[in-house]
Amino acid sequence: MAKILTFGVYDYFHIGHLRLFKQCKEHADYLVVAVQDGDYILKFKPDAHVLYSTAERVEILEALRIVDKVVVYQTVSPAALEQIDFDILALGEDHRGGRFDECVAWCEAHGKSVVRLKRTPNICSSDIKKELSRS
């Protein structure tokens, strides 16, 4: 059974996230979703507005039939990858450079595959947050 891993904040859960998970399931039978720790986000972005706590975001994701396992991470890095059991790393088409290249190299060195998935057009958590702040 192949296990695929994807990372994200998943605050303001939306259709783009669901479609990402569906794309993941096209590549593997088992979906591991890593959700970023809220305290870690605020440590580096103190002005960030995170609607749901880490525990609440985990609860939301665990309730989805498409998600098989939820783990919490601090930052996308080879050290984080070492802690998670997976076969395929799912990255967005825009996840390039810096730490993402380090993760791809780690995957290649450890026999893991990497797939690049498409974003859902016109859906973005940042845009949703901006729109809601205007209301």
Side-chain angles (χ1 to χ4, degrees):
M1 171 174 58
K3 296 179 181 179
I4 192 164
L5 168 66
T6 189
F7 285 86
V9 175
Y10 306 110
D11 201 25
Y12 296 85
F13 188 82
H14 55 70
I15 192 70
H17 295 136
L18 181 60
R19 289 179 181 164
L20 166 69
F21 298 163
K22 287 179 176 181
Q23 284 185 74
C24 286
K25 283 289 192 143
E26 291 173 7
H27 296 276
D29 307 311
Y30 191 91
L31 174 58
V32 180
V33 177
V35 62
Q36 193 168 33
D37 180 69
D39 291 336
Y40 187 84
I41 294 168
L42 295 174
K43 179 178 175 181
F44 291 95
K45 296 180 182 177
D47 295 334
H49 177 71
V50 181
L51 180 65
Y52 295 107
S53 71
T54 303
E56 290 168 330
R57 289 179 285 129
V58 167
E59 183 179 348
I60 290 166
L61 294 169
E62 285 179 337
L64 300 173
R65 283 186 308 224
I66 197 165
V67 175
D68 296 294
K69 183 175 181 177
V70 179
V71 297
V72 177
Y73 76 100
Q74 291 189 342
T75 187
V76 178
S77 67
L81 296 178
E82 289 175 5
Q83 305 302 311
I84 303 169
D85 179 23
F86 73 99
D87 304 297
I88 305 164
L89 176 61
L91 294 176
E93 55 195 337
D94 56 336
H95 293 154
R96 298 188 186 277
R99 67 181 192 264
F100 296 111
D101 289 350
E102 291 173 10
C103 289
V104 170
W106 184 91
C107 286
E108 291 171 352
H110 290 85
K112 313 287 186 184
S113 300
V114 177
V115 294
R116 299 275 178 185
L117 303 178
K118 301 279 186 194
R119 291 182 65 92
T120 300
N122 304 315
I123 299 288
C124 173
S125 296
S126 297
D127 291 345
I128 292 169
K129 287 180 183 183
K130 286 177 192 171
E131 187 62 33
L132 289 173
S133 70
R134 289 185 211 145
S135 302

